[in-house]
Amino acid sequence: MPQLRVTARFYVILVGQFILVRMKEMKIRHLLLILTVLFSNAILGQYDIKVVVDGLTCKDELKLASYRGARQYYEQSSVCENGVFRIKGDESLKTGNYIILLPNNNFFDFLVSSNEDQTQYSFKLDTNLYLDEMIVSGSRENELFFDFRSFEAIQKSKIQQENRIVESSKDTLKRQLSLNKISELEKSIEENRKETIAKVGNLFVGKFLNAHRQVPMIEAPENMSGENARIFKYNWIRNHYFDNIDLKEDGLLRTPIYQKEVSRYFDKYLPRNVDSSINVVNEFMTRLKNEGSKAQYQFCLSFLINRFQTSKRMCFDKIAWHLAKNYYCAGKAAIDETRRLQACEFADIQSNTLCGQRAHDMNMLDTSFVNRVRLHDIDKACTILVFWDIDCSHCKMELPIIQSIFDTLNQDELEIYAVYINGDFVRWREQLRKTGYTFTNVADVNADSDFREVYKVVSTPKLYVLDRDKNIVFKDISVTDIPSILNYMIGQENKED
């Protein structure tokens, strides 16, 4: 058998490449360092979460779910070996707040960090899910997280006890003592939260807990009062609302708190005027672009478009139009060309029915099938444009109300222009004869109107309020608001005079 020579060359395969190394030139510590790095990278590219639950057997199944905004998404199911549930995958999980679902709709949430070895995560608990009895290992993030959650749970249990005394006791002094204890307990939770945040450095758990802290409103300077003080405080909170939220931490997108706080901000601090609100939205998006991450910018842009497109605040769909046109369509967001063109098309369609726009004209036949009535020829302070259908159940309820209101109002300054949107014109005319509606009723009998492309009516009834110049002033109103709207419109004309 030939002898091995000490000076012989050998090959070490590193990342698919052959590297020729002389043993006498290779220092052992360098080799160990390379192997350690390679091994660590392989491990950090996986996750293997171990869960032991007293009271469950391998016949049961656990499921992993993640947050994306306020919604939860299934990620993976467990396998069970010797009473240990393992949830694993070949690619590491992104930083965020995750949930492990147990049978009978029980669950617990925990944190994941892309900076930790996710193959070491381990949780031991029972089906009661007592946080102070849970054993956590393999994750500094979760050790700190569950320490805080355990303390919080104990304090909240004490708060519940004191609340029961407040609700049931008739002794004023006893109730006040309980209220004082509740205040102290709540303060202790916040102090513990602050202490945890202070000691964790740059760990995700600190950013997550900090995001739950509301920025307290400051008082206006002593020399301010009334409206000036209110404006000062309003502007201050708008500038500082997100001080406790790390706008560069993408892990917060995979928690429910981020979307909740963005929603709360726009619920509480948007002005009533839609154009002023657009300015506030622009300021927020500019701050994200300059100070935040690309992922947060993309998330908020999509979220705000969807939110304002279905806003309950009248005319606030204009914000969705503005964002689609001036961000997506203008190329200020990283989307593919197909989606960009879709955003442009959406903005073009929306622009026809925005408050402040002049309503697209229509010139349709009435029930005579001979006479046409042009929308823009109506010369009244207020025109209610109604799109409806004879088979629409809501229309059957609301159009009689419109008629009864119309009968009681000043018809010299009010017109109802009702457009039947479908094609059964014989039934339409017959139904109008039965109902006796006296306001203007028209339909596209000759199929020569483009109203369907312009107004894109997807549900009925759809109402728009137009001024004398046929500008859209309000839309999606309640029919019972027509009298007050008419008074408002007449009042606006009188002010202009």
Side-chain angles (χ1 to χ4, degrees), residues 282 285-286 288-290 293-294 296-302 305 322-337 340 343-344:
N282 282 339
M285 293 306 301
T286 299
L288 275 183
K289 184 177 175 110
N290 294 336
S293 71
K294 289 182 180 179
Q296 288 197 27
Y297 179 89
Q298 291 285 106
F299 173 87
C300 286
L301 183 54
S302 174
I305 288 176
H322 168 81
L323 291 171
K325 180 177 177 62
N326 295 290
Y327 288 81
Y328 277 150
C329 189
K332 293 183 179 179
I335 55 174
D336 59 52
E337 184 63 11
R340 191 189 73 80
C344 294

Side-chain angles (χ1 to χ4, degrees), residues 393-443:
S393 58
H394 284 93
C395 301
K396 291 176 182 177
M397 291 188 293
E398 296 205 356
L399 263 71
I401 299 173
I402 292 176
Q403 178 65 58
S404 64
I405 292 173
F406 184 65
D407 289 340
T408 66
L409 297 177
N410 178 6
Q411 296 180 14
D412 290 336
E413 294 296 350
L414 174 67
E415 185 57 83
I416 311 293
Y417 190 88
V419 180
Y420 168 57
I421 66 168
N422 282 318
D424 195 341
F425 304 115
V426 174
R427 280 184 60 216
W428 166 66
R429 183 161 63 174
E430 183 60 29
Q431 182 162 326
L432 289 177
R433 284 173 180 164
K434 291 178 180 178
T435 56
Y437 297 150
T438 59
F439 45 77
T440 300
N441 279 278
V442 296

Side-chain angles (χ1 to χ4, degrees), residues 159-421:
I159 289 173
Q160 288 178 351
Q161 294 175 9
E162 298 301 329
N163 271 325
R164 284 193 286 270
I165 295 173
V166 172
E167 293 169 0
S168 62
S169 178
K170 295 181 180 180
D171 187 324
T172 303
L173 179 59
K174 193 173 183 180
R175 291 175 69 247
Q176 187 58 53
L177 288 172
S178 289
L179 288 171
N180 292 341
K181 288 181 182 178
I182 290 172
S183 178
E184 290 173 4
L185 290 165
E186 289 174 342
K187 287 179 181 178
S188 71
I189 293 174
E190 285 312 301
E191 286 303 314
N192 187 277
R193 187 194 303 271
K194 289 179 184 178
E195 289 172 7
T196 303
I197 293 168
K199 70 183 179 183
V200 300
N202 199 42
L203 294 182
F204 177 68
V205 61
K207 300 172 184 179
F208 179 71
L209 294 179
N210 203 34
H212 287 75
R213 296 176 58 223
Q214 294 291 324
V215 175
M217 178 69 81
I218 67 168
E219 292 300 322
E222 293 182 1
N223 61 348
M224 279 188 187
S225 61
E227 184 66 9
N228 289 335
R230 188 194 68 79
I231 293 173
F232 173 87
K233 293 170 69 174
Y234 170 74
N235 289 333
W236 186 90
I237 195 64
R238 268 183 46 193
N239 291 328
H240 293 276
Y241 184 88
F242 293 98
D243 283 0
N244 290 338
I245 295 178
D246 188 336
L247 299 179
K248 293 186 181 298
E249 176 53 72
D250 291 343
L252 293 176
L253 296 175
R254 287 173 287 277
T255 72
I257 189 61
Y258 185 87
Q259 181 175 314
K260 178 182 176 182
E261 287 304 313
V262 172
S263 294
R264 183 174 178 271
Y265 174 72
F266 288 107
D267 281 342
K268 290 192 61 131
Y269 299 113
L270 272 189
R272 294 181 181 178
N273 177 274
V274 66
D275 291 323
S276 299
S277 292
I278 286 175
N279 292 334
V280 172
V281 172
N282 282 339
E283 289 173 6
F284 174 72
M285 293 306 301
T286 299
R287 180 176 179 184
L288 275 183
K289 184 177 175 110
N290 294 336
E291 302 176 23
S293 71
K294 289 182 180 179
Q296 288 197 27
Y297 179 89
Q298 291 285 106
F299 173 87
C300 286
L301 183 54
S302 174
F303 172 69
L304 292 175
I305 288 176
N306 292 328
R307 177 182 177 81
F308 287 113
Q309 180 58 22
T310 57
S311 175
K312 293 181 180 179
R313 297 178 69 172
M314 192 179 298
C315 299
F316 270 58
D317 59 333
K318 188 175 183 179
I319 299 177
W321 165 83
H322 168 81
L323 291 171
K325 180 177 177 62
N326 295 290
Y327 288 81
Y328 277 150
C329 189
K332 293 183 179 179
I335 55 174
D336 59 52
E337 184 63 11
T338 299
R339 288 184 61 203
R340 191 189 73 80
L341 292 175
Q342 289 173 344
C344 294
E345 182 182 5
F346 166 82
D348 287 343
I349 293 170
Q350 288 293 103
S351 66
N352 296 315
T353 57
L354 295 174
C355 291
Q357 293 293 107
R358 195 173 192 221
H360 185 73
D361 196 12
M362 292 174 281
N363 188 22
M364 297 190 195
L365 293 172
D366 64 12
T367 53
S368 69
F369 292 172
V370 175
N371 301 319
R372 287 182 179 269
V373 182
R374 184 182 293 276
L375 174 64
H376 283 193
D377 285 347
I378 298 171
D379 186 22
K380 297 185 178 181
C382 180
T383 299
I384 309 295
L385 172 59
V386 183
F387 293 99
W388 70 291
D389 181 30
I390 55 178
D391 294 320
C392 158
S393 58
H394 284 93
C395 301
K396 291 176 182 177
M397 291 188 293
E398 296 205 356
L399 263 71
I401 299 173
I402 292 176
Q403 178 65 58
S404 64
I405 292 173
F406 184 65
D407 289 340
T408 66
L409 297 177
N410 178 6
Q411 296 180 14
D412 290 336
E413 294 296 350
L414 174 67
E415 185 57 83
I416 311 293
Y417 190 88
V419 180
Y420 168 57
I421 66 168

